[in-house]
Amino acid sequence: MNLHPVSVDNSYRPAPFWSWNDNLDPEELRRQIRMMHEAGLGGFFMHARGGLQTEYLSPKWMDCVSVCLEEAGKLGMQAWLYDENGWPSGFGGGLVNGLGLEYQQKYLRHEILDAAEVAGRENTIAFYTSDGKTLLGRELPGKTTGNVLRCFFEVNPYYVDNLNPKVVAKFLRVTHQRYYDTLPKALLKNLRGIFTDEPQLSRKGLLWSFVLEEEYRKAYGRELLVELPQLFISMPESGAMRIRFWGLCARLFTQNFMKQIRDWCDAHGWEITGHHVQEETCQIQISSSGAVMPQYRYYHIPGVDHLGRIPASEVAAIQLVSSAAQFGQKQIMTESFAMTGWGCHFSGMRWIYLQQLAHGINFLCPHLEGYTLRGLRKRDYPASAFYHQPWWKDYRKFTDSVSRIGMILAEGEQKVDVLVIHPISSAWKAYAGDEHYSLLDTYSKSLERTTLALDKLQIGHHYADEYIVNEIGGVEGGEIRIGRGKYHTVIVPQLSNLSAKMAEILPVFQQNGGTIFVVRNQNEDGELTIDGKPASHEFLVWFRALPAFHSEYAAVEAVADSQTDRVVVTENGVSAGSVISTSRTVTLDGRSGRFYYFVNRSYRKSARVTIELPCTAEQLDILDPVSGRLSVLAGVKKENRTFRFTYTFAPASDGCFFVADPAELPVFTVRDPDAGTPALFQKESFTLKSYSGNILTLDRCAYRIDGGTWLHCDVIDLQSRLLSRRCDCDLDLEFEFFCDEDCDFKRPIQLVAETPERFRFALNGKPFAVKDLGYLFDRAFRRLELPGELKIGRNVIGMSLRYTQPELVYKAVDAAKKFESERNKLTFETELESIYLYGDFRVRHKGETETLEKNAVRYNGTFSLGAPLTMAQVDITDLLASGLPFFSGTLTLEKTFELTEEEECPDRTLRVELAGANSCELKLNGADLGGCFWDPYAWHVGPYLKKGLNRIEFKLTTSLRNTLGPHHLEEGECYRVSPLSFCREPDVIGRVPPPYRSGYCFIRFSLGLPSGATAVSQKTETL
């Protein structure tokens, strides 16, 4: 396939979770789709979430879906459904689990009790002698005395049994088939497919299903009830039985859930994408899916998710891309950015996603875009990457760059030679249920260390899941073949079990010339079973004769020594620890070659490395991922069939290189942004030329119920307090704020509030009528005109309403205490939220400040409104202290500086460092030098400088973090933000929030020139 990197089809562009979380308006849906299109998004997932007030699957819901399909068709976008109201998928918004016990999720439990106490106990599976060795029957024999073991099942009525094909068939009828039958057939051509989200078996240890006994008998010719206690009691046959049981669960989940849905989608022309839950380690994936790798087979676009501003799991990525490669799935999805918080911007998003791209995950589903931020929706595992973000106008820079790389990785051909055996069956053998067994960590950590070592040495690799090998694995000559994957080298990490099929394949593979490297099992040295039974003497002799190593890294180094034409990346003479890569054979603009993609996964540190690439063609180009343009890379040495060059990766940055036959292209010389000379100007004091307006968040209030005693709390906690009362009331609120003597009351100060039509307002005791002036950020944030009665000192905004909730809300709260499917669709009629003051003023802080980790600071004290900031002098190294602690938006800073003739230099580069800003745009002496949206923030300024006076302007754009918080976490800035991160008190369903501090935590906001303006000798453009 010939790719044109300047042009990227919508099928490769990000498709966000579009959170349908309020009362939906068709015209607003159309408007939001058009905004997505302009931002370079290729499609969207129509996703019911908490706050939804349009009935799920109702006629109005279907009308809204139809409107979106129509608009997507007009714009050539890819529309996707989401298969649930909330998550996890499978319960059909309650329609499936509501059918009764057979349909509901069940957990396997056991207890020891006296035979005299068994009467009246429900949901018994079987009774056993107390040691579990003898089955007494489904009912306890009448004359039994003493202690007995009872196995029983516990029911979760809010989710479903996904091992039962009848249950999944019902889910298809109430969801997929309903969409298919209801939506206009003419619009279905605009629907690409449907997303399934976190389907699961159990997240509470051992599981049960009414289908297991018969399926166990059919699979193994054995009686499950006879062997059942071996799942949780260690007996001589426990290992083999556990492998049989969990292997069966993995197969039934794959066949009865995934395959059944895939078959339906194939029959109706839809694609299925999504991801399972708890994929990262051996231990957590056992109860949730049996084994996760087999589940990916029946996705058209298999996926994974990533939560928080933390490094992505390498193991989860390799599990996913291995299965996809073996089953021939080109696009591989990640749902990323949930829980990253409002402070995560382009640099953070790139850091998270580029690491996944470098492992081959090539289709991005950003989590999420909120239809509205009203009420609880702004705390729905933020951030929301949508029009309410100040940086939204620049979002296309991000979407273009990652789409282009994703397209090349999806359509290129990857050759992977190294296979790592996944130790899931060793984990099955040891897994006994709810209790944590440290041995399971041994297998997970060994697999992780193996992958990290291979990544460090730039060796592409896949995992061999033994379930998949049993189905499609074999030996062809000197290769192990798993579907479309062919491997010449095998690494056996620390494990204690192999499947019979794998034990059959490995010796034949070696005899045919294949290479095997073994990492010695440090905890179970010498133990090796085949499907849970001791390996034969003959097999052990063969296995112990294989090359064995005491560490994963040593084994991987041996693998590296055996590889030819390998990519090498070194820093200071040793393998670069932070740089990882992948490669593809691909045709770009008619030229066939090898595309290499590198990522620096360090978020804070740059990496100056030497790269060696196999010289498979005559020319080495560099691709600009934002524009898609190729250039010949200058400074490359060609030695011994190798291209060798030095390259500096900024933090969380990437590099795209293409080895192909010569073509006439411009020459590109990479500047080192860390090289430089002294500062051009004094850096601290600038004029704030203009800005989008300042903000003061008021998140604490006094309140009284039905005219009673005044109490105080954080506004967010008031909602939980009122819900716990379970009755309507008359509610009065007061928000206080202070104005300093220099506050300019002639300049309008506005009140920003949500659902203002529900409230009666007063300022300093005097009622005023609401005059709506439009919205701030999000359409739910209404700007209201404050009357002119502001005064120096204390001011009070009063708000009153009749607080009401329907009885259905309280029933939903009760259900939400039981299971996540109910929590994920909570909706309230009346919501109480912070309010905001907006205008041209400085926000002064009186009190102490405290420097925190993660680029944050805590303000302990009070705030007041002061003089206007427009045209005021500010300290760019601390814009919070300059009066902008709660600020979100854009601002322009300017100053003049003077250069002597000696200082005027045509080769100067200016580099800055940002804190708390998403981007920085530069103007110099009237010339627009453009914006930088991730590191390095550097411009070639030499041609624009002049002797004498120079004028410089920086335009900074932030996220919503310092306005929306969370402000009061004891830890300060948080990299895994949940709804609880904003609370001081337990929420309405009783979940306890993390530790709280009364001070306000902000992320620092500054424009840093730590080494000043810099210059380098190269005269070509900068990266």
Side-chain angles (χ1 to χ4, degrees):
M1 182 176 183
N2 184 25
L3 301 177
H4 300 285
V6 172
S7 175
V8 182
D9 186 81
N10 277 333
S11 61
Y12 305 106
R13 290 185 169 275
F17 266 179
W18 186 16
S19 175
W20 285 15
N21 59 9
D22 207 331
N23 190 15
L24 304 176
D25 174 68
E27 288 310 307
E28 176 64 9
L29 292 170
R30 289 184 189 274
R31 184 185 80 93
Q32 294 190 9
I33 291 172
R34 290 193 291 270
M35 286 191 291
M36 291 185 226
H37 179 65
E38 292 169 1
L41 296 166
F44 47 83
F45 294 93
M46 294 170 276
H47 180 5
R49 287 182 77 91
L52 178 65
Q53 294 185 341
T54 297
E55 183 183 351
Y56 179 61
L57 298 181
S58 67
K60 182 181 177 182
W61 175 273
M62 293 298 185
D63 288 344
C64 288
V65 173
S66 297
V67 161
C68 294
L69 292 178
E70 182 182 42
E71 196 69 23
K74 292 178 182 177
L75 300 172
M77 297 180 74
Q78 310 245 314
W80 294 82
L81 298 170
Y82 180 93
D83 68 6
E84 199 50 89
N85 183 9
W87 69 95
S89 292
F91 67 103
L95 295 174
V96 181
N97 54 296
L99 293 173
L101 182 62
E102 182 181 7
Y103 292 82
Q104 293 166 351
Q105 186 179 52
K106 291 166 276 290
Y107 311 115
L108 176 62
R109 301 291 184 253
H110 63 277
E111 62 182 355
I112 302 289
L113 72 167
D114 191 280
E117 300 174 353
V118 303
R121 307 248 173 185
E122 296 182 338
N123 301 334
T124 297
I125 297 171
F127 292 97
Y128 302 82
T129 55
S130 59
D131 60 6
K133 294 180 179 179
T134 303
L135 171 66
L136 299 176
R138 296 181 186 274
E139 296 183 0
L140 191 64
K143 296 183 179 181
T144 306
T145 60
N147 286 342
V148 295
L149 169 68
R150 183 176 84 104
C151 287
F152 61 98
F153 61 86
E154 177 183 308
V155 180
N156 172 17
Y158 299 104
Y159 194 53
V160 289
D161 176 4
N162 281 321
L163 292 181
N164 190 331
K166 177 180 177 181
V167 174
V168 181
K170 183 63 176 178
F171 170 56
L172 280 167
R173 286 195 296 274
V174 303
T175 304
H176 299 60
Q177 192 67 46
R178 185 167 179 180
Y179 276 119
Y180 189 81
D181 292 341
T182 306
L183 296 173
K185 295 297 183 283
L187 294 178
L188 285 176
K189 67 179 185 297
N190 301 330
L191 177 68
R192 184 170 179 184
I194 194 164
F195 192 109
T196 193
D197 198 6
E198 299 191 354
Q200 55 197 254
L201 300 179
S202 168
R203 296 180 72 172
K204 293 186 177 181
L206 301 176
L207 59 89
W208 188 248
S209 170
F210 292 161
V211 306
L212 279 171
E213 291 183 62
E214 177 61 22
E215 293 292 345
Y216 196 83
R217 186 181 302 115
K218 285 164 52 179
Y220 307 115
R222 307 169 73 100
E223 293 300 321
L224 177 57
L225 291 194
V226 173
E227 303 177 354
L228 194 59
Q230 295 177 27
L231 273 180
F232 48 85
I233 299 175
S234 292
M235 303 182 195
E237 296 294 320
S238 288
M241 186 272 169
R242 292 167 184 171
I243 289 172
R244 288 193 295 271
F245 180 86
W246 290 113
L248 175 65
C249 290
R251 178 173 65 81
L252 293 178
F253 195 18
T254 302
Q255 296 293 320
N256 294 343
F257 187 88
M258 284 307 309
K259 185 177 185 300
Q260 188 174 179
I261 295 175
R262 170 64 181 261
D263 288 346
W264 187 97
C265 287
D266 285 344
H268 293 79
W270 294 9
E271 294 184 24
I272 179 174
T273 188
H275 71 92
H276 278 55
V277 72
Q278 294 186 309
E279 301 133 308
E280 294 82 4
T281 69
C282 291
Q283 170 132 340
I284 64 173
Q285 69 180 261
I286 292 176
S287 65
S288 61
S289 62
V292 74
M293 283 183 64
Q295 311 307 322
Y296 299 137
R297 174 178 184 173
Y298 292 108
Y299 286 102
H300 293 89
I301 303 177
V304 70
D305 74 341
H306 177 70
L307 307 177
R309 217 180 321 168
I310 59 176
S313 166
E314 294 85 1
V315 168
I318 301 299
Q319 287 176 155
L320 176 61
V321 301
S322 300
S323 178
Q326 290 156 5
F327 287 109
Q329 297 146 315
K330 292 196 300 184
Q331 283 194 285
I332 309 169
M333 186 274 300
T334 176
E335 174 207 322
S336 284
F337 314 145
M339 302 181 72
T340 56
W342 287 108
C344 188
H345 40 64
F346 293 177
S347 288
M349 288 188 235
R350 279 169 52 84
W351 177 68
I352 290 166
Y353 184 42
L354 297 192
Q355 297 176 65
Q356 298 178 77
L357 274 171
H359 283 112
I361 298 173
N362 52 47
F363 179 44
L364 176 62
C365 170
H367 182 294
L368 73 163
E369 290 187 353
Y371 176 84
T372 177
L373 296 185
R374 184 171 69 84
L376 56 80
R377 302 152 186 84
K378 68 178 68 64
R379 294 180 290 276
D380 186 5
Y381 302 96
S384 173
F386 206 12
Y387 76 92
H388 24 251
Q389 288 280 15
W391 46 251
W392 174 252
K393 64 180 176 59
D394 302 316
Y395 195 40
R396 185 155 195 141
K397 297 285 193 302
F398 171 78
T399 59
D400 280 355
S401 65
V402 298
S403 303
R404 193 161 280 116
I405 304 306
M407 175 184 70
I408 295 172
L409 296 182
E411 295 299 338
E413 179 184 347
Q414 184 183 26
K415 186 179 186 303
V416 174
D417 183 61
V418 176
L419 186 68
V420 181
I421 297 178
H422 196 293
I424 188 65
S425 69
S426 300
W428 286 345
K429 187 175 76 169
Y431 183 66
D434 295 327
E435 57 192 280
H436 186 83
Y437 187 20
S438 61
L439 183 60
L440 293 166
D441 286 337
T442 297
Y443 307 131
S444 295
K445 291 296 183 183
S446 181
L447 188 65
E448 180 183 43
R449 287 193 295 268
T450 302
T451 279
L452 289 173
L454 288 163
D455 278 355
K456 184 175 182 180
L457 296 180
Q458 317 302 320
I459 300 174
H461 58 288
H462 289 156
Y463 295 156
D465 176 88
E466 291 175 309
Y467 176 97
I468 296 174
V469 171
N470 289 347
E471 288 205 335
I472 61 170
V475 178
E476 292 184 6
E479 298 176 336
I480 287 181
R481 182 156 190 169
I482 307 175
R484 300 190 184 188
K486 301 177 182 179
Y487 311 95
H488 295 85
T489 303
V490 170
I491 300 175
V492 183
Q494 296 186 52
L495 49 72
S496 66
N497 184 78
L498 294 170
S499 71
K501 182 72 172 287
M502 186 64 78
E504 173 191 322
I505 285 174
L506 288 176
V508 177
F509 167 68
Q510 189 205 32
Q511 291 166 14
N512 292 353
T515 305
I516 304 174
F517 299 95
V518 177
V519 182
R520 289 193 177 94
N521 189 329
Q522 305 296 324
N523 290 286
E524 304 166 285
D525 191 24
E527 178 176 333
L528 185 64
T529 57
I530 308 298
D531 282 342
K533 298 180 179 180
S536 68
H537 174 72
E538 180 184 14
F539 186 86
L540 285 175
V541 169
W542 171 82
F543 187 78
R544 289 168 181 167
L546 294 171
F549 301 85
H550 288 291
S551 75
E552 290 78 9
Y553 194 80
V556 169
E557 283 187 315
V559 170
D561 291 341
S562 71
Q563 301 286 301
T564 57
D565 290 334
R566 187 168 66 85
V567 174
V568 176
V569 183
T570 56
E571 187 173 22
N572 300 320
V574 299
S575 295
S578 67
V579 176
I580 58 177
S581 67
T582 191
S583 64
R584 299 289 187 275
T585 299
V586 67
T587 300
L588 300 180
D589 289 335
R591 298 163 64 216
S592 295
R594 193 73 180 167
F595 176 79
Y596 294 91
Y597 182 64
F598 292 85
V599 168
N600 177 15
R601 55 185 172 183
S602 172
Y603 188 62
R604 298 293 182 195
K605 296 181 180 179
S606 60
R608 184 168 177 79
V609 302
T610 299
I611 298 176
E612 298 178 23
L613 300 179
C615 184
T616 53
E618 296 302 312
Q619 184 170 301
L620 178 58
D621 301 339
I622 185 168
L623 174 74
D624 178 359
V626 176
S627 69
R629 294 186 177 89
L630 284 162
S631 305
V632 178
L633 183 62
V636 177
K637 296 180 180 178
K638 186 177 177 183
E639 309 172 342
N640 301 323
R641 292 173 41 84
T642 299
F643 286 123
R644 194 171 192 271
F645 60 99
T646 299
Y647 193 86
T648 299
F649 289 95
S653 71
D654 56 358
C656 310
F657 307 100
F658 185 49
V659 177
D661 290 333
E664 291 189 10
L665 297 171
V667 176
F668 189 91
T669 301
V670 179
R671 290 179 176 273
D672 181 359
D674 293 323
T677 56
L680 288 170
F681 50 79
Q682 294 297 315
K683 58 189 178 184
E684 289 84 4
S685 181
F686 273 65
T687 299
L688 199 159
K689 180 181 178 182
S690 62
Y691 71 133
S692 54
N694 207 359
I695 299 167
L696 173 63
T697 301
L698 301 177
D699 64 352
R700 293 169 176 162
C701 70
Y703 73 96
R704 64 180 179 181
I705 297 171
D706 293 332
T709 304
W710 285 97
L711 303 171
H712 295 81
C713 73
D714 289 2
V715 182
I716 186 175
D717 295 322
L718 177 56
Q719 179 82 354
S720 296
R721 290 185 184 187
L722 294 175
L723 285 166
S724 67
R725 297 178 71 251
R726 301 181 77 99
C727 63
D728 298 347
C729 65
D730 289 325
L731 180 67
D732 298 313
L733 304 170
E734 288 189 348
F735 295 84
E736 71 173 12
F737 64 97
F738 297 86
C739 294
D740 293 336
E741 291 186 359
D742 60 349
C743 187
D744 187 351
F745 297 134
K746 295 180 181 178
R747 301 200 182 201
I749 296 177
Q750 297 172 8
L751 167 65
V752 179
E754 300 173 39
T755 59
E757 68 278 4
R758 290 177 174 263
F759 293 90
R760 300 180 301 279
F761 292 89
L763 176 61
N764 294 327
K766 184 177 179 179
F768 66 90
V770 170
K771 183 178 181 181
D772 193 312
L773 302 175
Y775 70 89
L776 180 70
F777 300 135
D778 182 89
R779 286 191 166 190
F781 287 52
R782 306 311 302 179
R783 296 187 293 114
L784 312 176
E785 184 180 80
L786 271 180
E789 285 81 7
L790 290 171
K791 60 185 181 181
I792 297 171
R794 182 175 182 267
N795 293 264
V796 177
I797 294 173
M799 299 171 61
S800 303
L801 84 163
R802 180 68 180 171
Y803 180 87
T804 62
Q805 301 287 358
E807 185 60 30
L808 284 175
V809 165
Y810 299 115
K811 291 180 179 179
V813 168
D814 292 339
K817 296 175 182 178
K818 307 290 180 58
F819 190 64
E820 65 173 335
S821 64
E822 303 305 303
R823 293 197 298 270
N824 299 333
K825 55 182 183 178
L826 275 177
T827 301
F828 305 121
E829 179 176 299
T830 305
E831 299 186 75
L832 303 171
E833 294 294 321
S834 301
I835 62 173
Y836 312 84
L837 298 179
Y838 171 68
D840 184 11
F841 49 74
R842 69 181 67 230
V843 175
R844 286 198 179 95
H845 169 245
K846 299 178 178 66
E848 296 181 351
T849 61
E850 177 185 357
T851 301
L852 305 174
E853 295 180 347
K854 301 174 185 173
N855 210 34
V857 60
R858 178 174 285 117
Y859 279 28
N860 299 297
T862 60
F863 300 96
S864 58
L865 305 186
L869 276 173
T870 300
M871 300 309 294
Q873 294 296 299
V874 294
D875 179 356
I876 64 170
T877 67
D878 191 350
L879 290 165
L880 300 181
S882 294
L884 296 159
F886 292 94
F887 173 77
S888 295
T890 61
L891 57 80
T892 299
L893 304 161
E894 71 170 6
K895 78 173 292 122
T896 57
F897 61 95
E898 191 166 0
L899 289 181
T900 65
E901 187 172 352
E902 292 75 21
E903 291 174 320
E904 185 183 9
C905 174
D907 293 328
R908 283 195 185 274
T909 294
L910 173 64
R911 181 174 185 185
V912 300
E913 293 185 0
L914 297 186
N918 179 70
S919 63
C920 181
E921 299 169 62
L922 176 65
K923 285 185 178 180
L924 184 58
N925 292 324
D928 188 345
L929 275 64
C932 291
F933 303 92
W934 45 79
D935 217 336
Y937 301 94
W939 300 264
H940 185 209
V941 297
Y944 308 97
L945 295 170
K946 61 183 181 180
K947 176 185 175 183
L949 285 180
N950 292 259
R951 179 176 296 277
I952 193 166
E953 287 186 11
F954 293 107
K955 183 178 181 181
L956 306 183
T957 302
T958 75
S959 69
L960 290 173
R961 163 62 178 84
N962 284 347
T963 298
L964 298 183
H967 291 120
H968 302 295
L969 288 169
E970 185 176 280
E971 70 170 299
E973 174 66 341
C974 178
Y975 286 172
R976 285 179 65 87
V977 179
S978 76
L980 280 173
S981 301
F982 298 82
C983 300
R984 182 176 193 169
E985 301 172 3
D987 69 2
V988 64
I989 59 175
R991 294 177 298 179
V992 177
Y996 177 97
R997 286 282 295 272
S998 59
Y1000 287 78
C1001 171
F1002 306 104
I1003 56 171
R1004 287 197 313 111
F1005 182 27
S1006 65
L1007 176 66
L1009 300 169
S1011 58
T1014 62
V1016 292
S1017 59
Q1018 292 94 332
K1019 298 182 180 180
T1020 51
E1021 63 178 308
T1022 60
L1023 274 178

